């Protein structure tokens, strides 16, 4: 599906009041890029909100306060309208959102012009594919604002992953699973109603199941809370350690020693990492693990040779022999002899079986133990000891500062100790909540552990299924749900990898002064070796990510963005402005005059495919639309008010 | 037909792989499985199936392990011979043992029975690790303790 926005029209809307904005470059073709200068207070945010509503159809659920917020302040019209002319593939739709300020209600009208006839529909009547896809959350991803960009990189959000799920409809698999569960639940409830005798028992089971589900939800919520709390406290501990380190380095008496220790620590860390990496590779060779392993392999090899295993004659030899008129000893092979040979042939291995055993025999032969891993272990132990010594020496410096009366260090230390204790308690709670270790589970109850709670839920569901005679139906639904889950996981994995690679390509071609690489997409975008990025880089990454996502989709959607460069440094604005035109087939950008500098320069070089519009707000009058690059360039907010 | 993790392995593995101090992590989840397996084969003892995760985690050896797949098969044969107390000169039993676990057409060279055994040896190995090595996020520390455990140097 291909969507283009051809025009927007405002009637009695706060800010602009009455205004028509056309993005058309040809009759049914918009400019690839439209820059719309709208001063603050003119209605950028209003435009974004209304455009989203036109696409997702959510305005019908707005309450009266929200509807009336769009009424102009200067006069009192009974209603307002916002329309968008949309081209879906080659079909023209005009979707109008009517805001009845008197009644506080919003409703839609859709008119369409198609090759097979048109019509006017009451309601939000987009083409079925668009109606299905343009859910509220999905529309936000291509009618965009900067806040969403931050969420894509924020560890508190799973925005990045959600975006993929919505665009590629992977979320529908989960919804299908939920629907299946609802159907089963309804069938079970119907069974309860129809059997009076067991009604109470079934009702009791259902109550218990509901309680377990609530507890499970609570436990999972607590898991997220603990992860966040442990994360933030651990960060604070790291910050304190940094501050202490700075204090030590700032002390003239201790500085030299501190620098030596810091260098030693860094060198040691690099050495340990290299040693551990090499160790991990070496340990994958089984006969290097210990002399015993190498000896056993050799002994087994010896046994197989001595026993002449596998037997060299294969089943195929006898099968072929049975087909011959005479045996290798020259005696004739008749029917009886043939049957006897074929029967005995089954005692022998097939050629390919012999091949596998021979391969094993060859692989385990002459394997000698070498003490390289032993040496590496000793080396690693030495490096770990060095690390420990360095840590002890460092602590000693800290003690020296405290003893010298440095109050701040004492306070920081006290806070660090307190935090470490808190983190330990939280970790213990987290461990109890999330452990799957069977020994630890024996000491826990289902109300405090997720695994046990899930098992309890399963047990209760089974009992309910038995009691309501829905066992086989429940089993089937569970099987389907498992398949759906597996499909969802696999599909998401493949999509994420593809999009990750493409995003990295786009980011790499744009941000040249820093190495930014997305390591994986797990809820949010994890950057390699970094916990976050600067504001500009965040936006650059978010736009590259969205571009990669939409690139790979079979749908072509416009990208509408409010203040794409925001309050950014000039060089960062240049980065962002260079990316955006490359990512989307239709781009509509709303900016203020204050954001022009550094952002619009790039667009001026792109030639006639860029449209320049300026919306001038007039006091107590409708906003005016000025077209052309000259007006755009000289437009200043002060002059317009 | 695939490898299955002993229950509890992920917690150990994740503890290392969630470290944020810039230290080395496991490259593959299979690395940890392999360490459990080696220890279990060394002990020639299999653990209960119930201690395995219900789902599979990989159906073939990752690349670094492809050239040791036959050695693992050899170690499996050796472990089974010790576990079942098969005499070294008992040709028939040894041959039947091998035929009972190999599959020339499978990715791993082992049939379902063979893979099930590997997984159950991994269960034992993990129990050894769990009993003797404290969970840590430092892979370097874990590897040293593992080597010492494997070579009966626990506490050295």
């Amino acid at each position: 599906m291909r969507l283009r926005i051809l025009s927007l029209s405002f009637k009695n809307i706060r800010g602009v009041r009455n205004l028509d904005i056309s993005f058309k470059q040809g009759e049914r073709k918009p400019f690839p890029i439209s820059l719309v200068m709208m001063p603050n207070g003119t209605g950028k945010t209003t435009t974004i909100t209304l455009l989203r509503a036109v696409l997702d159809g959510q305005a019908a659920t707005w309450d009266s306060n929200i509807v009336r917020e769009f009424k102009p302040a200067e006069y009192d019209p009974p209603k307002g309208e916002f329309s968008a002319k949309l081209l879906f593939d080659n079909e023209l739709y005009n979707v109008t959102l009517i805001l009845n300020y008197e009644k506080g209600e919003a409703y839609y009208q859709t008119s369409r012009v198609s090759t097979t006839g048109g019509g006017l529909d009451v309601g939000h009547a987009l083409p079925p594919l668009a109606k299905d896809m343009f859910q509220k959350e999905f529309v936000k991803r291509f009618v965009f604002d900067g806040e969403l960009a931050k969420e894509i990189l924020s560890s508190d959000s799973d925005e990045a992953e959600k975006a993929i799920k919505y665009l590629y409809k992977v979320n529908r698999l989960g919804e299908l699973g939920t629907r299946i569960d609802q159907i089963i639940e309804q069938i079970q409830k119907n069974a309860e109603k129809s059997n009076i005798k067991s009604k109470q028992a079934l009702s009791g089971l259902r109550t218990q199941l509901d309680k377990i589900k609530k507890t499970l939800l609570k436990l999972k919520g607590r898991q997220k809370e603990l992860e966040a709390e442990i994360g933030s406290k651990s960060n604070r501990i790291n910050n304190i350690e940094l501050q202490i380190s700075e204090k030590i380095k700032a002390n003239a008496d201790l500085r030299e020693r501190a620098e030596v220790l810091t260098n030693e620590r860094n060198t040691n860390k690099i050495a340990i990492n290299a040693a551990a990496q090499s160790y991990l590779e070496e340990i994958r060779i089984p006969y290097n693990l210990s002399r015993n392993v190498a000896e056993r392999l050799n002994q087994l090899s010896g046994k197989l040779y001595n026993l002449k295993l596998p037997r060299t004659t294969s089943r195929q030899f006898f099968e072929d022999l049975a087909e011959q008129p005479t045996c290798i000893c020259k005696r004739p092979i008749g029917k009886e002899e043939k049957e006897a040979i074929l029967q005995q042939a089954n005692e022998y291995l097939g050629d390919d079986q012999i091949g596998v055993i021979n391969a094993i025999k060859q692989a385990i032969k002459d394997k000698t133990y070498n003490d390289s891993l032993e040496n590496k272990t000793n080396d690693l132990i030495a490096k770990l000891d060095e690390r420990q010594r360095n840590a002890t020496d460092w602590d000693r410096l800290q003690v020296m500062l405290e003893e010298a009366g440095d109050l701040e260090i004492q306070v920081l230390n006290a806070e660090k100790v307190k935090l470490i204790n808190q983190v330990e308690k939280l970790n213990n709670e987290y461990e109890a909540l999330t452990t799957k270790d069977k020994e630890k589970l024996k000491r826990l109850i289902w109300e405090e552990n997720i695994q046990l709670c899930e098992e309890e839920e399963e047990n209760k569901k089974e009992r309910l299924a038995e009691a309501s005679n829905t066992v086989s139906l429940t089993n089937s639904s569970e099987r389907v749900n498992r398949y759906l889950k597996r499909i969802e996981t696999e599909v998401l994995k493949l999509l994420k990898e593809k999009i990750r690679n493409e995003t990295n390509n786009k980011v790499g071609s744009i941000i040249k002064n820093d190495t930014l690489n997305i390591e994986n997409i797990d809820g949010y975008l994890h950057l390699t070796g970094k916990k976050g990025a600067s504001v500009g880089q965040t936006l650059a990454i978010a736009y590259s990510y969205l571009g990669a996502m939409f690139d790979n989709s079979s749908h072509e959607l416009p990208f509408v963005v409010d203040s794409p460069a925001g309050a950014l440094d000039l060089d960062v604005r240049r980065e962002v402005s260079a990316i955006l035109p490359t990512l989307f087939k239709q781009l509509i950008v709303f900016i203020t005059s204050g954001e022009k500098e550094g952002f619009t320069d790039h667009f001026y070089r792109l030639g006639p495919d860029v449209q320049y519009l300026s919306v001038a707000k007039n006091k107590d009058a409708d906003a005016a639309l000025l077209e052309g690059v000259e007006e755009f360039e000289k437009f200043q907010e002060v002059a317009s008010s | 037909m695939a490898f299955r993790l002993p229950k509890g392995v992920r917690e150990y593995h994740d503890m290392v792989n969630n470290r944020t101090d810039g230290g080395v992590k496991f490259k593959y989840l299979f690395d940890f499985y392999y360490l459990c397996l080696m220890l279990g084969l060394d002990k020639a003892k299999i653990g209960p199936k119930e201690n395995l995760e219900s789902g599979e985690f990989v159906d073939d050896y990752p690349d670094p392990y492809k050239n040791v797949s036959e050695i693992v098969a050899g170690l499996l044969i050796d472990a089974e011979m010790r576990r079942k107390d098969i005499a070294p000169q008992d040709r028939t039993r040894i041959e039947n043992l091998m035929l009972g676990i190999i599959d020339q057409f499978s990715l791993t060279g082992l049939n379902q029975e063979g893979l099930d055994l590997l997984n159950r040896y991994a269960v034992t190995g993990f129990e050894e690790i769990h009993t003797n090595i404290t969970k840590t996020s430092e892979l370097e520390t874990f590897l040293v303790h593992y080597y010492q455990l494997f070579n009966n140097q626990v506490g050295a």
Side-chain angles (χ1 to χ4, degrees):
Chain A
M1 180 188 69
R2 206 174 97 128
L3 168 63
R4 297 286 185 265
I5 301 173
L6 293 181
S7 67
L8 302 176
S9 173
F10 303 74
K11 284 198 179 92
N12 297 326
I13 302 289
R14 72 158 186 241
V16 297
R17 296 183 14 163
N18 295 283
L19 184 70
D20 291 320
I21 303 179
S22 170
F23 301 116
K24 288 194 207 173
Q25 191 181 35
E27 184 46 43
R28 283 187 167 218
K29 181 178 170 297
F31 279 91
I33 300 170
S34 299
L35 299 183
V36 186
M37 182 111 57
M38 273 180 111
N40 282 327
T42 317
K44 280 197 289 97
T45 310
T46 300
T47 306
I48 294 288
T49 307
L50 290 172
L51 182 54
R52 281 178 179 165
V54 150
L55 293 168
D56 67 24
Q58 289 294 304
T61 63
W62 288 349
D63 67 34
S64 53
N65 289 330
I66 298 176
V67 171
R68 288 180 183 128
E69 271 175 21
F70 293 100
K71 192 168 86 164
E74 305 88 350
Y75 59 106
D76 193 17
K79 65 177 188 177
E81 280 181 19
F82 176 82
S83 303
K85 217 168 246 165
L86 307 169
L87 195 62
F88 284 99
D89 297 315
N90 279 325
E91 300 211 351
L92 200 55
Y93 282 70
N94 195 26
V95 183
T96 303
L97 172 58
I98 297 146
L99 303 162
N100 188 320
Y101 298 133
E102 282 177 351
K103 289 185 179 170
E105 288 170 358
Y107 54 93
Y108 293 88
Q109 259 178 3
T110 313
S111 68
R112 53 197 164 81
V113 175
S114 83
T115 49
T116 54
L120 177 68
D121 290 317
V122 171
H124 188 245
L126 297 185
L129 181 57
K131 195 132 174 80
D132 188 46
M133 196 194 304
F134 290 172
Q135 305 295 316
K136 184 177 163 189
E137 287 305 314
F138 178 71
V139 166
K140 275 162 68 173
R141 282 152 183 89
F142 65 94
V143 183
F144 194 77
D145 64 53
E147 284 306 310
L148 217 55
K150 279 189 242 164
E151 285 187 37
I152 282 172
L153 276 183
S154 163
S155 60
D156 294 330
S157 161
D158 55 0
E159 171 57 36
E161 189 159 322
K162 264 175 28 184
I164 297 178
K165 283 183 178 171
Y166 275 103
L167 180 60
Y168 294 92
K169 293 195 167 186
V170 180
N171 60 308
R172 292 306 181 95
L173 292 169
E175 287 170 18
L176 189 53
T178 306
R179 184 70 195 117
I180 290 171
D181 287 340
Q182 285 168 347
I183 291 170
I184 300 296
E185 200 175 313
Q186 192 54 53
I187 292 172
Q188 286 172 341
K189 280 183 177 160
N190 290 344
E192 283 167 45
K193 284 181 200 157
S194 64
N195 186 338
I196 299 165
K197 215 163 138 183
S198 62
K199 192 174 173 179
Q200 210 171 5
L202 284 172
S203 176
L205 278 173
R206 177 154 302 288
T207 308
Q208 287 167 28
L209 182 59
D210 287 344
K211 182 180 166 201
I212 295 167
K213 282 180 175 170
K214 277 199 182 86
T215 305
L216 186 56
L217 216 56
K218 197 177 95 186
L219 291 177
K220 287 183 173 171
R222 181 66 186 144
Q223 180 185 7
K224 283 204 160 83
E225 278 170 18
L226 284 171
E227 280 166 1
E229 214 179 324
I230 290 169
S232 93
K233 285 188 164 38
S234 300
N235 282 342
R236 177 64 192 142
I237 291 171
N238 287 339
N239 280 341
I240 290 175
E241 282 169 354
L242 261 166
Q243 284 181 56
I244 291 175
S245 171
E246 291 306 311
K247 286 228 79 178
I248 290 172
K249 287 176 187 169
N251 182 294
D253 295 332
L254 303 177
R255 187 181 307 131
E256 204 182 305
R257 184 75 188 124
E259 275 172 16
V260 165
L261 284 178
T262 305
N263 289 338
E264 277 175 11
R265 184 173 58 211
N266 291 340
T267 309
N268 174 265
K269 184 173 176 178
I270 293 169
I272 286 178
N273 282 354
Q277 192 58 55
S278 152
Y279 198 103
L280 200 50
E281 284 160 18
E282 182 107 14
I283 211 170
R284 290 176 185 144
I285 304 169
Y287 47 89
N288 282 349
L289 274 168
S290 79
R291 280 180 210 284
N292 283 346
V293 175
E295 269 169 32
R296 285 200 200 110
L297 286 172
N298 281 319
Q299 281 170 11
L300 179 63
S301 169
K303 281 172 205 161
L304 294 178
Y305 273 101
N306 290 341
L307 295 172
K308 291 188 172 44
L309 282 172
R311 286 183 261 190
T312 47
T313 321
S314 74
R315 191 184 313 134
Q316 273 77 15
F317 169 78
F318 292 105
E319 284 169 354
D320 291 343
L321 180 65
E323 297 305 318
Q324 303 304 314
T326 52
C327 181
I328 51 168
C329 63
K330 305 282 185 226
R331 275 186 268 195
I333 297 176
K335 191 171 162 215
E336 255 183 60
E337 287 80 15
K338 181 175 172 176
E339 274 172 23
I341 292 170
L342 285 174
Q343 198 178 3
Q344 292 303 310
N346 285 329
E347 301 284 308
Y348 289 79
L349 302 179
D351 278 337
D352 32 27
Q353 287 174 312
I354 291 176
V356 170
I357 296 173
N358 272 333
I360 294 172
K361 202 167 144 188
Q362 190 58 36
I364 65 176
K365 190 176 147 196
D366 296 331
K367 286 295 178 274
T368 42
Y369 168 77
N370 85 54
D371 56 7
S372 145
L373 201 59
E374 191 177 340
N375 293 338
K376 284 189 167 153
T377 306
N378 293 334
D379 176 54
L380 202 43
I381 290 173
K383 288 183 167 64
L384 292 173
D385 285 343
E386 209 180 293
R387 183 169 74 183
Q388 186 53 48
R389 269 196 306 277
N390 182 282
T392 309
D393 287 346
W394 185 265
D395 287 342
R396 211 171 279 137
L397 288 186
Q398 200 178 298
V399 167
M400 281 166 74
L401 258 190
E402 281 190 48
E403 284 171 355
D406 189 319
L407 280 175
E408 201 183 329
I409 276 241
Q410 286 176 22
V411 165
L412 284 171
N413 235 356
E415 189 190 345
K416 180 178 154 185
V417 166
K418 190 171 152 200
L419 282 168
I420 287 173
N421 287 336
Q422 286 172 350
V423 166
E424 194 180 330
K425 276 203 183 84
L426 291 170
N427 274 330
N428 289 339
E429 188 190 341
Y430 189 80
E431 169 96 15
L433 188 60
T434 58
T435 188
K436 293 178 185 178
D437 182 302
K438 63 178 177 55
E439 286 306 314
K440 290 183 184 156
L441 287 174
K442 282 179 191 167
R443 295 192 286 273
L444 297 167
I445 53 174
W446 66 265
E447 286 94 337
E448 58 188 347
N449 175 272
I450 291 174
Q451 161 102 347
L452 291 176
C453 194
E454 283 171 346
E455 283 170 13
E456 188 68 14
E457 187 189 18
E458 271 315 300
N459 286 339
K460 211 53 76 174
K461 275 183 180 171
E462 271 173 33
R463 285 188 56 195
L464 188 56
E466 277 165 24
S468 57
N469 292 325
T470 53
V471 172
S472 73
L473 188 59
T474 311
N475 286 343
S476 301
S477 77
E478 279 169 10
R479 215 165 26 243
V480 169
N481 271 336
R482 272 201 301 276
Y483 294 149
L484 287 173
K485 194 86 206 131
R486 202 159 156 195
I487 294 169
E488 186 181 341
T489 307
E490 289 304 312
V491 161
L492 207 49
K493 196 166 120 190
L494 290 168
L495 278 172
K496 285 201 281 194
E497 191 51 24
K498 190 163 194 273
I499 289 168
R500 185 187 75 86
N501 286 332
E502 289 195 19
T503 307
N504 281 335
N505 286 342
K506 287 183 199 296
V507 171
S509 68
I510 285 144
I511 299 179
K512 293 185 171 41
N513 61 351
D514 199 351
T515 320
L516 283 175
N517 186 65
I518 295 166
E519 189 168 340
N520 63 45
I521 304 170
D522 180 10
Y524 62 100
L525 301 187
H526 294 237
L527 301 178
T528 307
K530 284 179 189 248
K531 286 205 173 91
S534 68
V535 181
Q537 289 172 339
T538 302
L539 282 174
I541 293 166
Y543 293 136
S544 301
Y545 176 69
L546 288 169
M549 260 207 336
F550 283 106
D551 254 355
N552 281 291
S553 155
S554 54
H555 306 300
E556 228 178 75
L557 300 173
F559 192 68
V560 182
V561 57
D562 174 13
S563 291
L568 296 175
D569 293 341
L570 285 180
D571 54 348
V572 174
R573 286 187 185 185
R574 286 184 197 108
E575 285 173 26
V576 169
S577 71
I579 313 158
L580 285 177
T582 66
L583 299 178
F584 307 99
K585 298 284 188 297
Q586 183 188 12
L587 177 65
I588 299 174
V589 178
F590 290 93
I591 62 169
T592 62
S593 64
E595 292 166 341
K596 264 196 303 191
E597 199 189 350
F599 182 76
T600 48
D601 302 339
H602 178 77
F603 291 96
Y604 295 147
R605 295 192 283 272
L606 294 179
D609 281 344
V610 183
Q611 180 192 30
Y612 299 90
L613 301 171
S614 311
V615 176
K617 184 165 162 55
N618 295 315
K619 197 167 182 283
D620 297 329
D622 297 344
L625 186 70
L626 308 166
E627 296 188 41
V629 64
E630 281 169 17
E631 292 292 342
F632 187 88
E633 273 179 330
K634 69 185 185 198
F635 190 91
Q636 291 294 332
E637 287 187 41
V638 169
S640 69
S641 57
Chain B
M1 260 199 291
F3 296 98
R4 289 164 64 190
L5 281 177
K7 286 180 184 170
V9 157
R10 283 183 203 270
E11 282 175 47
Y12 268 77
H13 170 271
D14 288 353
M15 191 152 208
V16 167
N17 276 33
N18 289 340
R19 73 189 298 188
T20 52
D21 60 355
V24 170
K25 303 179 186 184
F26 285 111
K27 188 155 184 209
Y28 302 95
L29 182 52
F30 193 89
D31 283 330
F32 200 97
Y33 173 89
Y34 164 83
L35 294 175
C36 297
L37 174 62
M38 287 296 115
L39 211 37
L41 289 171
D42 189 62
K43 299 280 169 209
K45 200 173 145 211
I46 57 173
K49 272 190 205 172
E50 294 72 44
N51 291 0
L52 288 165
E53 286 185 354
S54 54
E56 300 155 354
F57 81 104
V58 283
D59 57 13
D60 189 15
Y61 290 98
D63 285 342
Y65 291 92
K66 282 199 191 319
N67 61 352
V68 299
S69 61
E70 278 124 6
I71 296 178
V72 171
L75 288 172
L76 176 61
I77 294 166
D78 168 76
E80 282 291 278
M81 281 176 65
R82 284 186 285 137
R83 185 173 75 88
K84 290 174 173 164
D85 210 13
I86 296 175
Q89 60 276 25
D90 193 338
R91 192 176 192 245
T92 309
R93 277 190 83 190
I94 295 174
E95 188 178 56
N96 287 339
L97 163 65
M98 292 194 289
L99 291 179
I101 59 171
I102 62 166
D103 178 354
Q104 59 272 35
F105 301 115
S106 92
L107 290 169
T108 57
L110 296 174
N111 60 15
Q112 187 64 57
E113 169 80 20
L115 273 169
D116 283 348
L117 281 169
L118 279 191
N119 293 332
R120 292 177 71 180
Y121 276 111
V123 166
T124 306
F126 177 65
E127 283 186 16
E128 286 290 308
I129 289 173
H130 178 56
T131 306
N132 293 293
I133 302 179
T134 315
K135 237 194 276 184
T136 174
S137 62
E138 294 175 357
L139 179 58
E140 56 275 13
T141 307
F142 174 82
L143 289 172
V144 164
H145 288 160
Y146 176 85
Y147 181 85
Q148 289 169 339
L149 175 65
F150 201 98
N151 288 275
N152 297 314
Q153 294 165 21
V154 176

